[in-house]
Structure formats: C-alpha cells, structure tokens
Coordinates of all heavy atoms in Angstrom, one line a residue:
M1 N 72.5 -70.9 144.5 CA 71.6 -69.8 144.6 C 70.2 -70.0 144.0 O 70.1 -70.6 142.9 CB 72.2 -68.5 144.0 CG 71.4 -67.3 144.2 SD 72.3 -65.8 143.5 CE 71.1 -64.6 143.7
A2 N 69.2 -69.7 144.7 CA 67.8 -69.9 144.2 C 67.6 -69.0 143.0 O 68.2 -68.0 142.8 CB 66.8 -69.5 145.3
D3 N 66.7 -69.5 142.1 CA 66.4 -68.9 140.8 C 65.0 -68.3 140.8 O 64.0 -69.0 140.9 CB 66.6 -69.9 139.7 CG 66.3 -69.3 138.4 OD1 66.1 -68.1 138.3 OD2 66.3 -70.1 137.4
K4 N 65.0 -67.0 140.8 CA 63.7 -66.3 140.9 C 62.8 -66.5 139.6 O 61.6 -66.3 139.6 CB 63.8 -64.8 141.1 CG 64.5 -64.0 140.0 CD 64.7 -62.6 140.4 CE 65.5 -61.8 139.4 NZ 65.8 -60.4 139.9
N5 N 63.5 -67.1 138.6 CA 62.7 -67.4 137.4 C 62.1 -68.8 137.4 O 61.4 -69.3 136.5 CB 63.6 -67.3 136.1 CG 64.0 -65.9 135.9 OD1 63.2 -64.9 136.0 ND2 65.3 -65.7 135.7
S6 N 62.4 -69.5 138.5 CA 61.9 -70.9 138.7 C 61.2 -71.0 140.1 O 61.3 -72.0 140.7 CB 63.1 -71.9 138.6 OG 63.7 -71.8 137.4
K7 N 60.4 -70.0 140.4 CA 59.7 -70.1 141.7 C 58.6 -71.1 141.7 O 58.0 -71.3 140.6 CB 59.0 -68.7 142.0 CG 59.9 -67.6 142.2 CD 59.1 -66.3 142.5 CE 59.9 -65.1 142.7 NZ 59.1 -63.9 143.0
Q8 N 58.4 -71.8 142.8 CA 57.2 -72.6 143.0 C 56.0 -71.6 142.8 O 56.0 -70.5 143.4 CB 57.2 -73.3 144.4 CG 58.3 -74.2 144.6 CD 58.2 -75.5 143.8 OE1 57.3 -75.7 142.9 NE2 59.0 -76.5 144.0
P9 N 55.0 -72.0 142.1 CA 53.9 -71.1 141.8 C 53.1 -70.6 143.0 O 52.5 -69.6 142.9 CB 53.1 -71.8 140.8 CG 53.4 -73.3 141.0 CD 54.9 -73.3 141.4
E10 N 53.2 -71.4 144.1 CA 52.3 -71.0 145.2 C 52.9 -70.0 146.2 O 52.2 -69.5 147.1 CB 52.0 -72.3 146.0 CG 51.0 -73.2 145.2 CD 50.7 -74.5 146.0 OE1 49.9 -74.3 147.0 OE2 51.2 -75.5 145.7
N11 N 54.2 -69.7 146.0 CA 54.8 -68.6 146.8 C 53.9 -67.3 146.8 O 53.5 -66.9 145.7 CB 56.2 -68.2 146.4 CG 57.2 -69.3 146.6 OD1 57.5 -69.6 147.7 ND2 57.7 -69.9 145.5
V12 N 53.6 -66.7 147.9 CA 52.9 -65.5 147.9 C 53.8 -64.4 147.3 O 55.0 -64.5 147.4 CB 52.4 -65.0 149.3 CG1 51.4 -66.0 149.8 CG2 53.6 -64.9 150.2
P13 N 53.3 -63.4 146.6 CA 54.1 -62.4 146.0 C 55.0 -61.7 147.0 O 54.6 -61.4 148.1 CB 53.1 -61.4 145.4 CG 51.9 -62.2 145.2 CD 51.8 -63.2 146.3
G14 N 56.2 -61.4 146.6 CA 57.2 -60.7 147.5 C 58.6 -61.3 147.3 O 58.8 -62.1 146.4
P15 N 59.5 -60.7 148.0 CA 60.9 -61.1 147.7 C 61.3 -62.5 148.1 O 62.2 -63.0 147.5 CB 61.7 -60.1 148.6 CG 60.7 -59.6 149.6 CD 59.4 -59.7 149.0
W16 N 60.7 -63.1 149.1 CA 61.1 -64.4 149.5 C 60.3 -65.5 148.8 O 59.1 -65.4 148.5 CB 60.8 -64.6 151.0 CG 61.7 -63.7 151.9 CD1 61.5 -62.4 152.2 CD2 63.0 -64.1 152.5 NE1 62.5 -61.9 153.0 CE2 63.4 -62.9 153.1 CE3 63.7 -65.2 152.5 CZ2 64.6 -62.9 153.8 CZ3 64.9 -65.2 153.2 CH2 65.4 -64.1 153.8
Y17 N 61.0 -66.6 148.4 CA 60.4 -67.6 147.6 C 61.2 -68.9 147.7 O 62.4 -68.9 148.2 CB 60.3 -67.2 146.1 CG 61.7 -67.0 145.5 CD1 62.4 -68.0 144.8 CD2 62.3 -65.8 145.6 CE1 63.6 -67.8 144.3 CE2 63.6 -65.6 145.1 CZ 64.2 -66.6 144.4 OH 65.5 -66.4 143.9
V18 N 60.6 -70.0 147.4 CA 61.3 -71.3 147.2 C 61.2 -71.6 145.7 O 60.2 -71.4 145.0 CB 60.6 -72.4 148.0 CG1 61.2 -73.8 147.7 CG2 60.6 -72.1 149.5
D19 N 62.3 -72.1 145.1 CA 62.3 -72.4 143.7 C 62.1 -73.9 143.5 O 61.8 -74.7 144.5 CB 63.6 -71.9 143.0 CG 64.8 -72.7 143.3 OD1 64.7 -73.8 143.9 OD2 65.9 -72.3 142.9
T20 N 62.1 -74.3 142.3 CA 61.7 -75.7 141.9 C 62.7 -76.8 142.3 O 62.5 -78.0 142.0 CB 61.3 -75.8 140.4 OG1 62.5 -75.4 139.7 CG2 60.1 -75.0 140.1
T21 N 63.9 -76.4 142.9 CA 64.9 -77.4 143.2 C 64.7 -77.9 144.6 O 65.5 -78.7 145.1 CB 66.3 -76.8 143.1 OG1 66.4 -75.7 144.1 CG2 66.6 -76.3 141.7
C22 N 63.6 -77.5 145.3 CA 63.4 -78.0 146.7 C 63.3 -79.5 146.7 O 62.6 -80.2 145.9 CB 62.0 -77.5 147.2 SG 61.5 -78.2 148.8
S23 N 64.1 -80.1 147.6 CA 64.1 -81.6 147.7 C 63.3 -82.1 148.9 O 63.4 -83.3 149.3 CB 65.6 -82.0 147.9 OG 66.2 -81.5 149.1
L24 N 62.6 -81.2 149.5 CA 61.7 -81.6 150.6 C 62.4 -82.2 151.8 O 62.0 -83.2 152.4 CB 60.6 -82.5 150.1 CG 59.3 -82.6 150.9 CD1 58.6 -81.2 151.0 CD2 58.4 -83.6 150.4
C25 N 63.5 -81.6 152.2 CA 64.2 -82.1 153.3 C 63.6 -81.7 154.6 O 63.9 -82.2 155.7 CB 65.7 -81.7 153.3 SG 65.9 -79.9 153.6
R26 N 62.8 -80.7 154.6 CA 62.0 -80.2 155.7 C 62.7 -79.3 156.7 O 62.1 -78.8 157.6 CB 61.4 -81.3 156.5 CG 60.7 -82.3 155.6 CD 60.1 -83.4 156.5 NE 59.5 -84.5 155.6 CZ 58.6 -85.3 156.1 NH1 58.3 -85.4 157.3 NH2 58.1 -86.2 155.3
V27 N 64.0 -79.1 156.6 CA 64.7 -78.4 157.7 C 64.3 -76.9 157.8 O 64.2 -76.3 158.8 CB 66.2 -78.5 157.6 CG1 66.7 -79.9 157.7 CG2 66.7 -77.9 156.3
C28 N 63.9 -76.4 156.6 CA 63.4 -75.0 156.7 C 62.1 -74.8 157.5 O 61.9 -73.7 158.1 CB 63.2 -74.4 155.3 SG 61.9 -75.3 154.3
L29 N 61.3 -75.8 157.5 CA 60.0 -75.7 158.3 C 60.3 -75.6 159.8 O 59.4 -75.0 160.5 CB 59.2 -76.9 158.0 CG 58.8 -77.1 156.5 CD1 57.9 -78.3 156.3 CD2 58.1 -75.8 155.9
D30 N 61.4 -76.1 160.2 CA 61.7 -75.9 161.7 C 62.1 -74.5 162.0 O 61.9 -74.0 163.1 CB 62.9 -76.8 162.1 CG 62.5 -78.3 162.1 OD1 61.3 -78.6 162.2 OD2 63.4 -79.2 161.9
E31 N 62.6 -73.8 161.0 CA 63.1 -72.4 161.2 C 62.0 -71.4 160.9 O 62.0 -70.3 161.6 CB 64.3 -72.1 160.3 CG 65.5 -73.1 160.4 CD 66.1 -73.0 161.8 OE1 65.9 -72.0 162.5 OE2 66.8 -73.9 162.2
A32 N 61.2 -71.6 160.0 CA 60.2 -70.6 159.6 C 58.8 -71.2 159.5 O 58.1 -71.1 158.4 CB 60.6 -69.9 158.4
P33 N 58.2 -71.9 160.5 CA 56.9 -72.5 160.4 C 55.8 -71.6 160.2 O 54.7 -72.0 159.8 CB 56.8 -73.3 161.7 CG 57.7 -72.6 162.7 CD 58.8 -72.0 161.9
N34 N 56.0 -70.3 160.6 CA 54.9 -69.3 160.4 C 54.9 -68.7 159.0 O 54.1 -67.8 158.7 CB 55.0 -68.3 161.5 CG 54.8 -68.9 162.9 OD1 54.0 -69.8 163.0 ND2 55.5 -68.3 163.8
L35 N 55.9 -69.1 158.2 CA 56.0 -68.4 156.9 C 56.0 -69.5 155.7 O 55.6 -69.1 154.6 CB 57.4 -67.7 156.7 CG 57.7 -66.7 157.8 CD1 59.1 -66.2 157.6 CD2 56.7 -65.5 157.7
M36 N 56.3 -70.7 156.1 CA 56.5 -71.7 155.0 C 55.7 -73.0 155.4 O 55.5 -73.3 156.5 CB 58.0 -72.1 154.9 CG 58.9 -70.9 154.7 SD 60.7 -71.4 154.7 CE 60.8 -72.1 153.0
K37 N 55.3 -73.7 154.3 CA 54.5 -75.0 154.6 C 54.6 -75.8 153.3 O 55.0 -75.4 152.2 CB 53.1 -74.7 155.0 CG 52.2 -74.0 153.9 CD 50.8 -73.8 154.4 CE 49.9 -73.1 153.4 NZ 48.6 -72.9 153.9
Y38 N 54.1 -77.0 153.5 CA 54.0 -77.9 152.3 C 52.9 -77.5 151.4 O 51.9 -77.0 151.8 CB 53.6 -79.3 152.8 CG 54.6 -80.1 153.6 CD1 54.4 -80.4 154.9 CD2 55.8 -80.5 153.0 CE1 55.3 -81.1 155.7 CE2 56.8 -81.1 153.8 CZ 56.5 -81.4 155.1 OH 57.5 -82.1 155.8
N39 N 53.1 -77.9 150.1 CA 52.0 -77.8 149.2 C 51.0 -78.9 149.5 O 51.3 -79.8 150.3 CB 52.5 -77.8 147.7 CG 53.1 -79.1 147.3 OD1 53.7 -79.8 148.1 ND2 52.9 -79.5 146.1
A40 N 49.9 -79.0 148.8 CA 48.8 -79.9 149.1 C 49.2 -81.4 149.0 O 48.9 -82.2 149.9 CB 47.6 -79.7 148.2
D41 N 50.0 -81.7 148.0 CA 50.4 -83.1 147.9 C 51.9 -83.4 148.5 O 52.5 -84.4 148.2 CB 50.3 -83.7 146.5 CG 51.1 -82.8 145.5 OD1 51.8 -81.9 145.9 OD2 51.0 -83.1 144.3
E42 N 52.4 -82.4 149.2 CA 53.6 -82.5 150.0 C 54.8 -82.9 149.1 O 55.5 -83.9 149.4 CB 53.5 -83.5 151.1 CG 52.5 -83.0 152.2 CD 52.5 -83.8 153.5 OE1 53.3 -84.7 153.6 OE2 51.7 -83.4 154.4
T43 N 54.9 -82.2 147.9 CA 56.0 -82.5 147.0 C 57.1 -81.3 147.1 O 58.1 -81.4 146.5 CB 55.6 -82.6 145.6 OG1 54.7 -81.5 145.2 CG2 54.8 -83.9 145.4
Y44 N 56.7 -80.2 147.7 CA 57.7 -79.1 147.9 C 57.1 -78.2 149.0 O 56.0 -78.4 149.5 CB 57.9 -78.3 146.7 CG 56.7 -77.7 146.0 CD1 56.2 -76.5 146.4 CD2 56.0 -78.4 145.0 CE1 55.0 -76.0 145.9 CE2 54.9 -77.9 144.4 CZ 54.4 -76.6 144.8 OH 53.3 -76.1 144.3
V45 N 57.9 -77.3 149.4 CA 57.4 -76.3 150.4 C 57.4 -74.9 149.7 O 58.1 -74.7 148.6 CB 58.3 -76.2 151.7 CG1 58.3 -77.6 152.4 CG2 59.7 -75.7 151.4
Y46 N 56.7 -73.9 150.3 CA 56.7 -72.6 149.7 C 56.4 -71.6 150.8 O 55.9 -71.9 151.9 CB 55.6 -72.5 148.6 CG 54.2 -72.7 149.1 CD1 53.3 -71.6 149.3 CD2 53.7 -74.0 149.3 CE1 52.0 -71.8 149.7 CE2 52.4 -74.1 149.8 CZ 51.6 -73.0 150.0 OH 50.3 -73.2 150.4
F47 N 56.6 -70.3 150.5 CA 56.2 -69.2 151.4 C 54.7 -68.9 151.2 O 54.3 -68.4 150.2 CB 57.0 -68.0 151.1 CG 58.4 -68.0 151.7 CD1 59.5 -68.6 151.0 CD2 58.7 -67.5 152.9 CE1 60.7 -68.6 151.5 CE2 60.0 -67.5 153.5 CZ 61.0 -68.1 152.8
F48 N 54.0 -69.2 152.3 CA 52.6 -68.8 152.3 C 52.4 -67.4 152.8 O 51.3 -66.8 152.8 CB 51.7 -69.8 153.0 CG 52.0 -69.9 154.5 CD1 51.3 -69.1 155.4 CD2 52.9 -70.8 155.0 CE1 51.5 -69.1 156.8 CE2 53.1 -70.8 156.4 CZ 52.4 -70.0 157.3
K49 N 53.5 -66.9 153.4 CA 53.4 -65.5 154.0 C 54.8 -64.9 153.9 O 55.8 -65.6 154.1 CB 53.1 -65.6 155.5 CG 53.0 -64.3 156.3 CD 52.6 -64.6 157.7 CE 52.5 -63.3 158.5 NZ 53.7 -62.5 158.5
Q50 N 54.9 -63.7 153.5 CA 56.1 -62.9 153.5 C 56.5 -62.4 154.9 O 55.6 -62.1 155.6 CB 56.1 -61.8 152.5 CG 55.9 -62.1 151.0 CD 57.2 -62.7 150.5 OE1 58.3 -62.3 150.8 NE2 57.1 -63.7 149.5
P51 N 57.8 -62.4 155.2 CA 58.1 -61.8 156.5 C 57.7 -60.3 156.6 O 57.8 -59.6 155.6 CB 59.7 -61.9 156.5 CG 60.0 -62.9 155.5 CD 58.9 -62.8 154.4
E52 N 57.2 -60.0 157.8 CA 56.7 -58.6 158.0 C 57.4 -57.9 159.2 O 57.3 -56.7 159.3 CB 55.2 -58.6 158.2 CG 54.4 -59.0 157.0 CD 52.9 -59.1 157.2 OE1 52.5 -58.7 158.3 OE2 52.2 -59.5 156.3
T53 N 58.0 -58.7 160.0 CA 58.7 -58.2 161.2 C 60.2 -58.6 161.2 O 60.5 -59.5 160.5 CB 58.0 -58.8 162.5 OG1 58.3 -60.2 162.5 CG2 56.5 -58.5 162.5
P54 N 61.0 -57.9 162.0 CA 62.4 -58.3 162.1 C 62.5 -59.8 162.5 O 63.4 -60.5 162.0 CB 63.0 -57.4 163.1 CG 62.1 -56.2 163.0 CD 60.7 -56.7 162.8
E55 N 61.7 -60.3 163.4 CA 61.7 -61.6 163.8 C 61.4 -62.6 162.7 O 62.1 -63.6 162.5 CB 60.8 -61.9 165.0 CG 61.2 -61.2 166.3 CD 60.9 -59.7 166.3 OE1 60.1 -59.2 165.4 OE2 61.4 -59.0 167.1
E56 N 60.4 -62.2 161.9 CA 60.0 -63.1 160.8 C 61.1 -63.1 159.7 O 61.4 -64.1 159.0 CB 58.7 -62.7 160.2 CG 57.5 -63.0 161.1 CD 56.2 -62.5 160.6 OE1 56.1 -61.6 159.7 OE2 55.2 -63.1 161.0
T57 N 61.7 -61.9 159.5 CA 62.8 -61.8 158.5 C 64.0 -62.7 158.9 O 64.6 -63.4 158.1 CB 63.2 -60.4 158.3 OG1 62.1 -59.6 157.8 CG2 64.4 -60.3 157.3
A58 N 64.3 -62.7 160.2 CA 65.4 -63.5 160.7 C 65.0 -65.0 160.6 O 65.9 -65.8 160.2 CB 65.6 -63.1 162.2
A59 N 63.8 -65.3 160.8 CA 63.4 -66.7 160.6 C 63.5 -67.1 159.1 O 64.0 -68.2 158.8 CB 62.0 -66.9 161.0
A60 N 63.1 -66.3 158.2 CA 63.3 -66.6 156.8 C 64.8 -66.7 156.4 O 65.1 -67.6 155.6 CB 62.6 -65.5 155.9
Q61 N 65.6 -65.8 157.0 CA 67.0 -65.9 156.7 C 67.6 -67.2 157.2 O 68.5 -67.8 156.6 CB 67.7 -64.7 157.3 CG 69.2 -64.6 156.9 CD 69.5 -64.5 155.4 OE1 68.9 -63.6 154.8 NE2 70.3 -65.3 154.9
R62 N 67.2 -67.6 158.4 CA 67.7 -68.9 158.9 C 67.3 -70.1 158.0 O 68.0 -71.0 157.8 CB 67.1 -69.2 160.4 CG 67.7 -68.3 161.4 CD 67.5 -68.8 162.8 NE 66.1 -69.0 163.1 CZ 65.3 -68.1 163.6 NH1 65.7 -66.8 163.8 NH2 64.0 -68.3 163.8
A63 N 66.0 -70.0 157.5 CA 65.6 -71.1 156.6 C 66.5 -71.1 155.3 O 66.9 -72.1 154.9 CB 64.1 -70.8 156.2
L64 N 66.7 -69.9 154.8 CA 67.6 -69.8 153.6 C 69.0 -70.4 154.0 O 69.6 -71.2 153.2 CB 67.7 -68.3 153.2 CG 68.5 -68.0 151.9 CD1 68.1 -66.7 151.3 CD2 70.0 -68.0 152.2
D65 N 69.5 -70.1 155.1 CA 70.9 -70.5 155.5 C 71.0 -72.0 155.7 O 72.0 -72.6 155.4 CB 71.3 -69.8 156.8 CG 71.6 -68.3 156.6 OD1 71.7 -67.9 155.4 OD2 71.6 -67.6 157.6
V66 N 69.9 -72.7 156.1 CA 70.0 -74.1 156.4 C 69.6 -74.9 155.1 O 69.8 -76.1 155.1 CB 69.1 -74.6 157.6 CG1 69.6 -73.9 158.8 CG2 67.6 -74.3 157.3
C67 N 69.0 -74.3 154.1 CA 68.5 -75.1 153.0 C 69.7 -75.7 152.2 O 70.6 -75.0 151.7 CB 67.8 -74.2 152.0 SG 67.2 -75.1 150.5
P68 N 69.8 -77.1 152.2 CA 71.0 -77.7 151.6 C 71.1 -77.6 150.1 O 72.1 -77.8 149.5 CB 70.9 -79.2 152.0 CG 69.4 -79.4 152.2 CD 68.9 -78.0 152.7
T69 N 69.9 -77.3 149.5 CA 69.9 -77.2 148.0 C 69.9 -75.8 147.5 O 69.7 -75.6 146.3 CB 68.7 -78.0 147.4 OG1 67.5 -77.6 148.1 CG2 68.9 -79.5 147.7
L70 N 70.0 -74.8 148.4 CA 70.0 -73.4 148.0 C 68.7 -73.1 147.2 O 68.8 -72.4 146.2 CB 71.2 -73.1 147.2 CG 72.6 -73.4 147.9 CD1 73.7 -73.1 146.9 CD2 72.7 -72.8 149.2
S71 N 67.6 -73.6 147.7 CA 66.3 -73.4 147.0 C 65.5 -72.2 147.5 O 64.5 -71.9 146.9 CB 65.5 -74.7 147.2 OG 66.1 -75.8 146.8
I72 N 66.0 -71.5 148.5 CA 65.3 -70.4 149.1 C 66.0 -69.1 148.6 O 67.2 -69.0 148.8 CB 65.2 -70.5 150.6 CG1 64.5 -71.8 151.0 CG2 64.5 -69.2 151.2 CD1 64.5 -72.0 152.5
G73 N 65.2 -68.2 148.1 CA 65.8 -66.9 147.7 C 65.0 -65.7 148.3 O 63.9 -65.9 148.8
N74 N 65.7 -64.6 148.3 CA 65.0 -63.4 148.8 C 65.3 -62.2 147.9 O 65.3 -61.1 148.3 CB 65.5 -63.0 150.2 CG 66.9 -62.6 150.3 OD1 67.7 -62.8 149.3 ND2 67.3 -61.9 151.4
D75 N 65.4 -62.5 146.6 CA 65.7 -61.5 145.6 C 64.5 -61.3 144.7 O 64.6 -60.7 143.6 CB 66.9 -61.9 144.8 CG 66.7 -63.2 144.1 OD1 65.8 -64.0 144.4 OD2 67.5 -63.5 143.2
G76 N 63.3 -61.7 145.1 CA 62.1 -61.4 144.4 C 61.8 -62.1 143.2 O 60.9 -61.8 142.4
Ligands
SF4_1 S1 65.3 -76.6 153.3 FE1 65.3 -76.2 151.1 S2 65.2 -78.3 150.1 FE2 64.7 -78.5 152.3 S3 62.4 -78.4 152.3 FE3 63.2 -76.3 152.7 S4 63.3 -75.3 150.6 FE4 63.1 -77.5 150.3

C-alpha cells in the first residue's frame, strides 16, 4: 500500500499520489497519461493533475491497480 507520508514532492495536492517507492516501470503511464508523467530527470512518475471526471478517476484507479510496487495511493 502506498504511503501518504512518503509522497513524491511533485504530486499536485489532492487524494491521488505516487510515493517514493516508484520503480519507474512505466505501466501506469499507459493507463493514465493525462494525469501522470515523469519528473524532469525521469527517476519517478507523479500526478501532475488530479482526476476530475469519472473517466479520469477510472484511469487513476487502473494505474493504481497495475502498479507492481503499490506506489500509487488515493488516500491523500
Ligand atoms: S506503475 Fe508504479 S512503479 Fe511503475 S512507474 Fe507507475 S508508480 Fe512507478
């Protein structure tokens, strides 16, 4: 389970986040490319946008579900 006390600092404020255990496997980017992206030096990904629609929330949930390291959280 992702740890909200270890969020990547670039996540935009809100319930969805990536924590510091991201291993950069990239699979979440296929599910939520409109919400998540690489940081500048491509060492992790983060939420640059919080979901605002049911479709975006579903995309974020798919990203959470496929993350092999359980690095994505939605508990703020
Ligand atoms: S799926 Fe998880 S480990 Fe892979 S890049 Fe996304 S947040 Fe990081």
Side-chain angles (χ1 to χ4, degrees):
M1 183 176 174
D3 180 4
K4 64 185 176 186
N5 295 315
S6 300
K7 291 181 183 180
Q8 297 288 6
E10 292 182 73
N11 290 291
V12 293
W16 292 85
Y17 62 94
V18 178
D19 75 12
T20 55
T21 63
C22 171
S23 63
L24 203 61
C25 72
R26 310 179 183 199
V27 296
C28 61
L29 300 180
D30 291 336
E31 302 296 341
N34 297 325
L35 303 173
M36 306 175 76
K37 65 180 180 181
Y38 292 115
N39 66 327
D41 56 2
E42 299 191 358
T43 53
Y44 58 84
V45 302
Y46 67 99
F47 279 87
F48 66 89
K49 179 181 184 303
Q50 291 287 327
E52 296 176 2
T53 66
E55 291 78 13
E56 288 178 341
T57 299
Q61 185 63 50
R62 287 197 303 275
L64 184 156
D65 290 341
V66 299
C67 178
T69 53
L70 308 179
S71 304
I72 300 173
N74 70 344
D75 59 347

